[in-house]
Amino acid sequence: MEALNNIEALNQALDQMMEKDEKIVIYGEDAGFEGGVFRATKGLQAKYGKDRCFDSPLTEAGIIGSGIGMAINGMKPVLEIQFQGFLFPGLNQLLVHGARYRNRSRGRFTVPMVVRMPYGGGIRALEHHSESIEAMLAHTPGLKVVIPSNPYDTKGLMISAIKDPDPVVFLEPKRIYRAFKQEVPMEIYEVPIGKARILKEGNDITVVGWGAMIPEIQLAVKDLEEEGISVEIIDLRTISPIDKEAIENSVKKTGRFLVVHEAVKSFGVGAELISIVNEKAFLHLECPPTRLTGYDVTIPLAKGEGHFMINPEKIKSKVKELINY
Amino acid sequence: MIFENHNPLEGKVFQILDKTGKIVNEEYYKDIDRDLLLKMYRCMVLSRIQDEWALKFQRQGRMLTFAPTLGQEGLQVASMAACRDDDWLVPAFRSNAAWLYKGLPMKNIFLYWCGNEMGSKIPDHINMLPIVVPIGSQFNHATGIGMSFRYTKEDKVVVTYIGDGGTSEGEFYEGINFAGVVNAPVIFIIQNNQFAISTGVESQTKAKTLAQKGIAAGIPSIKVDGNDIFAMYFATKEAVENARSGNGPSLIEAVTYRQGPHTTADDPTIYRSEEKHLDGMSKDPIIRTKNFLIERGILTEKDEKTIREECKKTVFEEFEKAEQENITPLEDIFKYTYEEMTENLKEQYEEAKKWGGN
């Protein structure tokens, strides 16, 4: 075991998998020599050479599109999109081709690639650096969408993503890249894609979140427990495919459901989870399943970001509202 | 004739003023009105001093991440000066000197980099789009604005910028190709500052010049010493006149050097060799222009000192204004989403009021 933060855990996963599997090739803007602007790929070019870890031209469509070609011919590209906000020029390749080649070719051609990118707000960043677009990606059949919230999961989920036979979008909550350390096993291990984690058991209400929302939820729950409210926290970990069973079982026990996400409200993952709760656990509900989310606005620049972000105060207030419904 | 005589496929680079401030290409040198020259010079210095102080304000925690224009002032000021005031500017994000020349209040620029969208509210009388962060997409916007003149019967042109890295994006090609097809009056300017964050031009393309990419689109293209205000001014002027007379777009690769980091979140010492840095610094556009102006008696050391002092005063005044106005009221994050707030947003706005924010 070793104490690592999220970015170190990610780097270790990439390093260990590259060592093990020669088919892994890593590239993206500044991902080679500099090791990425967040240093996720730091040291990999020095260790594995320029053929296996390199700076691509500035071309998101090129990165994802060529990754598709690489993967089709048996390689395992692990691609970096520098910020989620830069994904959009590559979205055509990802949604229209990456997600479809398996289906289009009736299983002949597959695209086992990983596309990594930092996402989310709270770091006082520039335009297009703070959005959370997991819903947009999860809405596309053929993609898997994964979001870790801690170093252990970051390493384990990245290893699973690399081993996965389908395209996996690996969204990294950049706000917590270096926020805390956790003991992480030195060896290669997997955290399964598609399985949520019960982070804390409780009886009065289920609160579901992912990514950078998890520490906010934990802070809120600490206070709520002191006030005698028993909260079950679920870290969803994978947005698509979603772990319906974990949600169902938890809500059947607690009777109350709150989903917290920093992405905008409408047509989001919150709506999807509430539908699952309604379908699977309707008769167990003590109050309407509810979402606490960002507003339906363009994410403000830093000076207005505080108006937008989810914080423990908002979470506590919403939980109490549901408990007292 | 400048474009015709400097085919980038023949490896030609257009230069008039060398790095010491001497005229080296008399054939193309013409006098520029003294007041215009001083205006250009003053704007370069103003942008430089703004950047230098902004870096300090950022380190003091009074500004957020920003992208300095340090070193690229010459090409921006000269290309703006070659246009009319009512022509359009479609900037890339590293365009400080061009914004200033075009008349954008410095306060706006400071507000933007302090994380306040009000900085992007361009005054109505300035034909300019706000800063956008995505790379390369502005080329198509510029093409569209140029296309619209055919319908609005305006005889304006559009100048747009991109970085060397941006020329690897699909929309770079789409924009120049489309403009060529429809003969849109657009001047596409590549600010080749040698780096896209840490990635050098040599890792960006196998093409010998970036200018030659314009040849493929069938539009007049040229590689220019971007730190030479005369070369930039006269090349842009020819392109502007060509566009205004209905002959369509041109492309200029302006070779320059990014003296500072990509943004304040970047550390260029990791990827930039000392040798390359010294070479880049030796081609500074402001120093060579100053040498020229002093040698010709257009500027004295005393004037120079006065200009610097005035510029510094402006920077401090504008930054103070920005700091005083740097508040984002809650309503601001809702009210520009649509022309009218939808019922859904009104509901969310009411809910948000409960929290106050910040």
Side-chain angles (χ1 to χ4, degrees):
Chain A
M1 301 286 264
E2 192 182 4
L4 300 177
N5 64 30
N6 281 302
I7 201 99
E8 290 162 349
L10 180 63
N11 184 267
Q12 190 175 89
L14 297 171
D15 185 1
Q16 291 179 345
M17 290 305 283
M18 277 184 101
E19 191 160 358
K20 190 168 168 275
D21 182 355
E22 286 187 355
K23 291 203 156 87
I24 296 174
V25 177
I26 290 181
Y27 58 98
E29 291 146 15
D30 305 286
F33 182 75
E34 201 186 33
V37 293
F38 289 103
R39 310 289 183 262
T41 53
K42 191 179 170 189
L44 299 180
Q45 184 176 78
K47 192 163 170 187
Y48 299 102
K50 279 186 180 172
D51 280 347
R52 292 194 58 205
C53 179
F54 63 93
D55 294 324
S56 75
L58 221 159
T59 168
E60 295 79 15
I63 293 165
I64 297 177
S66 64
I68 290 169
M70 283 260 226
I72 281 176
N73 199 35
M75 299 301 291
K76 172 59 84 173
V78 180
L79 312 165
E80 176 173 303
I81 296 295
Q82 195 163 70
F83 282 94
Q84 175 273 301
F86 302 155
L87 170 67
F88 297 106
L91 216 48
N92 173 45
Q93 286 294 344
L94 187 61
L95 306 192
V96 178
H97 304 295
R100 281 185 181 231
Y101 256 114
R102 179 186 290 278
N103 186 61
R104 186 182 281 152
S105 68
R106 308 279 89 187
R108 162 77 204 277
F109 297 117
T110 62
V111 184
M113 67 180 181
V114 181
V115 183
R116 299 178 32 239
M117 68 197 88
Y119 86 101
I123 63 154
R124 301 161 75 78
L126 303 174
E127 187 199 11
H128 282 289
H129 287 56
S130 301
E131 286 78 3
S132 303
I133 52 135
E134 60 270 25
M136 202 182 282
L137 297 166
H139 199 63
T140 303
L143 294 183
K144 292 182 180 174
V145 182
V146 171
I147 303 181
S149 72
N150 59 65
Y152 180 88
D153 284 355
T154 297
K155 182 174 172 185
L157 282 166
M158 176 47 79
I159 290 165
S160 297
I162 289 172
K163 290 187 171 175
D164 200 279
D166 284 302
V168 178
V169 183
F170 197 87
L171 290 169
E172 298 161 11
K174 59 181 171 295
R175 179 148 56 124
I176 56 170
Y177 263 151
R178 294 184 159 81
F180 54 92
K181 291 199 174 200
Q182 188 184 30
E183 292 289 319
V184 172
M186 288 292 285
E187 63 275 10
I188 289 177
Y189 63 91
E190 287 177 57
V191 169
I193 290 175
K195 289 277 173 236
R197 177 174 68 123
I198 311 291
L199 201 148
K200 194 194 89 54
E201 294 196 20
N203 297 313
D204 298 332
I205 182 167
T206 301
V207 178
V208 177
W210 50 91
M213 290 297 95
I214 294 296
E216 305 293 317
I217 293 169
Q218 284 175 305
L219 282 174
V221 167
K222 202 164 160 264
D223 289 352
L224 289 165
E225 298 261 311
E226 276 171 21
E227 293 179 40
I229 301 170
S230 168
V231 184
E232 180 142 307
I233 308 175
I234 298 182
D235 179 352
L236 199 60
R237 297 199 291 201
T238 301
I239 307 301
S240 176
I242 220 157
D243 187 349
K244 291 186 183 185
E245 206 185 344
I247 306 294
E248 178 183 349
N249 292 341
S250 180
V251 177
K252 279 182 174 167
K253 181 171 72 166
T254 64
R256 294 183 179 85
F257 181 79
L258 174 67
V259 49
V260 180
H261 66 61
E262 60 179 306
V264 299
K265 186 173 191 171
S266 299
F267 314 101
V269 177
E272 179 64 29
L273 286 164
I274 288 169
S275 285
I276 291 167
V277 169
N278 282 328
E279 287 165 11
K280 303 280 182 186
F282 188 70
L283 294 176
H284 298 264
L285 290 170
E286 305 277 345
C287 64
T290 303
R291 55 194 158 159
L292 173 66
T293 68
Y295 306 117
D296 290 333
V297 299
T298 304
I299 313 294
L301 292 184
K303 202 61 193 174
E305 204 180 16
H307 294 310
F308 182 89
M309 297 302 294
I310 302 292
N311 58 42
E313 287 308 308
K314 291 184 183 178
I315 299 168
K316 279 191 277 184
S317 167
K318 207 63 168 176
V319 167
K320 285 182 191 170
E321 207 180 285
L322 296 181
I323 294 286
N324 298 318
Y325 181 78
Chain B
M1 295 312 283
I2 297 171
F3 275 74
E4 229 177 83
N5 296 339
H6 295 84
N7 183 348
L9 291 175
E10 292 165 9
K12 290 188 179 169
V13 182
F14 181 48
Q15 189 191 52
I16 293 176
L17 190 72
D18 74 5
K19 66 178 186 180
T20 67
K22 297 257 177 317
I23 299 290
V24 290
N25 204 343
E26 289 287 351
E27 188 189 344
Y28 295 96
Y29 172 73
K30 294 185 206 111
D31 280 328
I32 296 179
D33 176 79
R34 184 191 166 94
D35 288 344
L36 182 61
L37 265 181
L38 284 173
K39 185 183 172 188
M40 286 158 73
Y41 182 71
R42 180 184 286 270
C43 186
M44 286 161 67
V45 173
L46 181 62
S47 179
R48 176 70 57 97
I49 292 177
Q50 183 194 351
D51 266 335
E52 286 167 354
W53 279 96
L55 282 162
K56 291 178 194 163
F57 295 147
Q58 199 272 343
R59 302 282 183 253
Q60 292 167 4
R62 294 160 78 187
M63 270 183 61
L64 300 174
T65 304
F66 85 102
T69 295
L70 286 171
Q72 299 175 221
E73 300 90 347
L75 76 97
Q76 294 183 8
V77 164
S79 52
M80 287 299 101
C83 300
R84 279 193 331 229
D85 281 352
D86 64 344
D87 288 331
W88 276 81
L89 165 63
V90 179
F93 58 84
R94 197 186 309 283
S95 307
N96 200 66
W99 297 326
L100 290 176
Y101 195 92
K102 201 75 185 144
L104 183 66
M106 190 186 285
K107 182 195 78 186
N108 283 47
I109 303 172
F110 278 135
L111 273 176
Y112 178 81
W113 294 122
C114 285
N116 188 326
E117 281 90 345
M118 288 315 282
S120 290
K121 193 172 167 64
I122 311 291
D124 286 344
H125 65 281
I126 305 176
N127 289 334
M128 183 182 118
L129 294 187
I131 305 165
V132 295
V133 168
I135 307 297
S137 36
Q138 69 272 18
F139 264 32
N140 275 319
H141 306 159
T143 293
I145 290 172
M147 284 162 75
S148 73
F149 299 152
R150 178 172 308 165
Y151 305 91
T152 60
K153 311 280 181 219
E154 295 166 281
D155 71 336
K156 296 171 187 167
V157 304
V158 186
V159 172
T160 187
Y161 300 120
I162 201 168
D164 39 311
T167 64
S168 305
E169 291 280 3
E171 288 206 63
F172 165 83
Y173 300 97
E174 295 173 25
I176 61 174
N177 187 62
F178 200 170
V181 168
V182 297
N183 238 25
V186 184
I187 322 305
F188 297 102
I189 297 179
I190 301 165
Q191 302 191 54
N192 178 358
N193 71 12
Q194 316 298 320
F195 291 102
I197 309 191
S198 72
T199 305
V201 191
E202 64 289 344
S203 303
Q204 206 66 244
T205 180
K206 201 174 174 180
K208 281 201 179 122
T209 67
L210 297 173
Q212 75 194 55
K213 296 188 175 198
I215 306 287
I219 66 179
S221 302
I222 189 172
K223 183 170 178 173
V224 174
D225 179 345
N227 289 348
D228 165 0
I229 61 162
F230 289 103
M232 268 314 283
Y233 179 82
F234 289 113
T236 311
K237 208 165 174 51
E238 187 175 294
V240 165
E241 280 161 11
N242 204 34
R244 218 187 296 284
S245 56
N247 296 322
S250 305
L251 182 139
I252 299 171
E253 175 187 354
V255 183
T256 183
Y257 178 70
R258 190 188 81 207
Q259 296 184 1
H262 163 68
T263 68
T264 43
D266 167 47
D267 176 10
T269 59
I270 294 173
Y271 54 80
R272 191 178 65 190
S273 73
E274 191 58 20
E275 192 190 354
K276 176 136 185 141
H277 186 53
L278 289 175
D279 178 61
M281 295 299 283
S282 74
K283 293 167 180 166
D284 187 273
I286 296 183
I287 293 170
R288 76 168 88 167
T289 308
K290 179 186 157 189
N291 289 344
F292 172 85
L293 294 175
I294 285 179
E295 203 250 326
R296 297 279 165 132
I298 300 168
L299 189 78
T300 64
E301 289 288 357
K302 203 175 148 226
D303 298 334
E304 155 73 8
K305 204 167 159 253
T306 312
I307 288 173
R308 295 193 75 85
E309 277 162 11
E310 285 168 359
C311 290
K312 188 179 161 191
K313 192 162 165 276
T314 305
V315 168
F316 273 76
E317 283 170 1
E318 294 290 305
F319 187 63
E320 201 172 303
K321 277 193 245 170
E323 277 196 316
Q324 278 166 10
E325 289 179 31
N326 191 13
I327 300 152
T328 300
L330 179 63
E331 193 190 11
D332 264 28
I333 78 163
F334 287 94
K335 75 188 229 195
Y336 301 105
T337 311
Y338 303 102
E339 183 169 334
E340 271 186 58
M341 236 186 257
T342 58
E343 287 306 313
N344 182 40
L345 279 184
K346 281 183 197 160
E347 212 175 88
Q348 292 183 17
Y349 177 37
E350 287 307 315
E351 188 192 321
K353 279 183 188 167
K354 203 167 78 183
W355 300 110
N358 290 332

